[in-house]
Amino acid sequence: GDSVTQMEGPVTLSEEAFLTINCTYTATGYPSLFWYVQYPGEGLQLLLKATKADDKGSNKGFEATYRKETTSFHLEKGSVQVSDSAVYFCALTEPTGNQFYFGTGTSLTVIP
Amino acid sequence: KAGVTQTPRYLIKTRGQQVTLSCSPISGHRSVSWYQQTPGQGLQFLFEYFSETQRNKGNFPGRFSGRQFSNSRSEMNVSTLELGDSALYLCASSRGGMTTNEKLFFGSGTQLSVL
């Protein structure tokens, strides 16, 4: 079945450091891929998405590229800020599927 | 435009009791899906309702049930609570539902503690 695997956290970085959170997936078809972010005490918010191979999703300085050959959708940001401290979830949904599959989440803490 | 509203924000129950959680979607959204979030299991899909019908269901026991009303508001019920049901329960809404690949708009969740 479909699944999403994220790198385990927690991740702690200094402000302005480079961020990569790895995400790989298993899917039977051609899924759409998402990154969601959960700030402390809040629900999830969509951060970015990509719906087909080689698409790049971007938002708030974050980027992720849909790599079909490596079944990956790694999240990157060139210079993190304290306000980026949150839990990040990779997710997928099949075009004809009936549910979202989420990774277990990666906690990021950015220190000044 | 108001976001997704979940009530109550916090709940404390004892084993064996039942609980009902409420979710009001964004106006115009006909799909409401429910999720359980725990530190150990991450985020797991419970079920989705669309236009008052359960359309999809995850791998949870029958103690977990839900319904959706004509105004798209949804309730989730858990009967015979167990300690392991302690979790953050999130709902999400969208216009066309999960099969359209639309983004999900999440509420802030209901934190349920079972003692």
Side-chain angles (χ1 to χ4, degrees), chain A residues 36 38 41 43 89 93 97-98, chain B residues 9 37 56 99 101 103-104 107:
Chain A
Y36 282 83
Q38 185 177 32
F89 292 86
T93 184
N98 55 14
Chain B
R9 186 72 180 88
Q37 185 178 18
N56 301 299
T99 56
N101 295 331
K103 63 181 180 181
L104 306 176

Side-chain angles (χ1 to χ4, degrees), chain A residues 70-92:
Chain A
T70 54
T71 61
S72 64
F73 193 55
H74 304 322
L75 182 68
E76 297 182 335
K77 186 173 185 181
S79 176
V80 292
Q81 305 300 312
V82 172
S83 57
D84 294 327
S85 297
V87 181
Y88 293 83
F89 292 86
C90 186
L92 73 81

Side-chain angles (χ1 to χ4, degrees), chain B residues 23 26-27 53 65 95 107:
Chain B
C23 174
I26 291 172
S27 178
T53 301
S65 63
R95 283 190 187 279

Side-chain angles (χ1 to χ4, degrees), chain A residues 32 34 36 38 41-46 49 51 87 89 93-100 102-105, chain B residues 9 35 37 40-43 45 48 56-58 88 90 98-109:
Chain A
S32 292
F34 305 80
Y36 282 83
Q38 185 177 32
E42 299 183 18
L44 274 69
Q45 303 173 33
L46 178 68
K49 67 183 266 190
T51 57
V87 181
F89 292 86
T93 184
E94 294 272 16
T96 56
N98 55 14
Q99 61 173 288
F100 270 67
F102 287 88
T104 53
Chain B
R9 186 72 180 88
Y35 304 82
Q37 185 178 18
Q41 298 293 322
L43 193 63
F45 170 75
E48 181 201 14
N56 301 299
K57 192 175 189 302
L88 178 67
L90 294 164
M98 306 170 89
T99 56
T100 62
N101 295 331
E102 294 182 10
K103 63 181 180 181
L104 306 176
F105 294 82
F106 281 84
S108 296

Side-chain angles (χ1 to χ4, degrees), chain B residues 47 49 54 61-67 75-79:
Chain B
F47 32 65
Y49 284 86
Q54 186 181 85
R63 299 187 296 109
F64 292 81
S65 63
R67 59 178 176 169
E75 289 182 347
M76 189 190 85
N77 185 76
V78 188
S79 63

Side-chain angles (χ1 to χ4, degrees), chain A:
Chain A
D2 292 13
S3 66
V4 176
T5 302
Q6 281 182 243
M7 65 182 284
E8 291 189 16
V11 174
T12 301
L13 294 174
S14 297
E15 207 165 20
E16 299 185 1
F18 184 86
L19 168 72
T20 300
I21 300 179
N22 290 340
C23 171
T24 57
Y25 67 89
T26 302
T28 53
Y30 299 92
S32 292
L33 301 173
F34 305 80
W35 276 100
Y36 282 83
V37 57
Q38 185 177 32
Y39 296 104
E42 299 183 18
L44 274 69
Q45 303 173 33
L46 178 68
L47 182 59
L48 52 83
K49 67 183 266 190
T51 57
K52 61 183 187 297
D54 299 324
D55 267 2
K56 178 185 284 188
S58 61
N59 185 27
K60 298 182 181 180
F62 290 89
E63 292 183 342
T65 301
Y66 189 142
R67 302 283 188 201
K68 190 171 183 299
E69 63 276 14
T70 54
T71 61
S72 64
F73 193 55
H74 304 322
L75 182 68
E76 297 182 335
K77 186 173 185 181
S79 176
V80 292
Q81 305 300 312
V82 172
S83 57
D84 294 327
S85 297
V87 181
Y88 293 83
F89 292 86
C90 186
L92 73 81
T93 184
E94 294 272 16
T96 56
N98 55 14
Q99 61 173 288
F100 270 67
Y101 298 87
F102 287 88
T104 53
T106 301
S107 174
L108 169 67
T109 300
V110 180
I111 54 178

